[in-house]
Amino acid sequence: MKKIAQLKYSFAEKDNYLTVNVSGHFSLEVAKKMYTDALGKLVDKKISKLLFNVRKVTGKVTTMDRYYLGEFAALESIKYMRKGLQSNAVAFYGIEPIIDPERFGELVARNRGLNLKVTSEKKEALLFLGVK
């Protein structure tokens, strides 16, 4: 029986944004915890731009997972604004099918007020965040 690598993540602060490097098998529960941890880092470091590199994530992300994660990200960001988070911009970049070609999760989050971009290109993600 092949062992599945759990979703792992690490943080790296760049000039004026935080990168979250993510790898392993997708888990909605861990993805939500990761997002909350990242927001906490933004508040601590007083920065507002967040870049998720999900190129090394494996597994299956269902339509409902995308819905729940998009909704959670938007609502959690609002919650953290009450804790001192500056208005934030968030970008995810990775490989399809982890990155949804239809961008459903992005639509869900944006409809709830989150300034979010989901893309398969790092350059496009950085441009959206306004960083190099």
Side-chain angles (χ1 to χ4, degrees), residues 34-50:
M34 170 190 69
Y35 192 81
T36 300
D37 290 349
L39 291 178
K41 293 262 187 212
L42 291 181
V43 170
D44 291 345
K45 297 182 178 297
K46 296 183 177 20
I47 53 180
S48 62
K49 297 174 183 178
L50 187 54

Side-chain angles (χ1 to χ4, degrees), residues 46-59:
K46 296 183 177 20
I47 53 180
S48 62
K49 297 174 183 178
L50 187 54
L51 177 68
F52 287 91
N53 171 2
V54 297
R55 294 182 59 83
K56 294 183 178 177
V57 174
T58 60

Side-chain angles (χ1 to χ4, degrees), residues 5-104:
Q6 289 188 323
L7 196 65
K8 296 183 290 191
Y9 53 96
S10 62
F11 300 104
E13 186 178 352
K14 304 290 183 178
D15 296 327
N16 61 344
Y17 67 99
L18 182 69
T19 296
V20 185
N21 294 302
V22 190
S23 63
H25 194 80
F26 178 79
S27 157
L28 180 59
E29 183 180 320
V30 177
K32 287 179 174 182
K33 181 182 181 323
M34 170 190 69
Y35 192 81
T36 300
D37 290 349
L39 291 178
K41 293 262 187 212
L42 291 181
V43 170
D44 291 345
K45 297 182 178 297
K46 296 183 177 20
I47 53 180
S48 62
K49 297 174 183 178
L50 187 54
L51 177 68
F52 287 91
N53 171 2
V54 297
R55 294 182 59 83
K56 294 183 178 177
V57 174
T58 60
K60 180 176 168 96
V61 185
T62 68
T63 300
M64 290 310 298
D65 288 337
R66 296 178 198 288
Y67 176 86
Y68 290 132
L69 188 55
E71 180 180 59
F72 178 84
L75 297 176
E76 196 74 351
S77 293
I78 291 167
K79 186 168 95 177
Y80 269 77
M81 286 182 178
R82 291 187 208 117
K83 296 180 179 184
L85 178 65
Q86 302 165 15
S87 62
N88 67 328
V90 180
F92 283 80
Y93 77 95
I95 301 169
E96 294 178 6
I98 296 299
I99 293 295
D100 179 15
E102 302 298 318
R103 308 299 194 255
F104 179 63

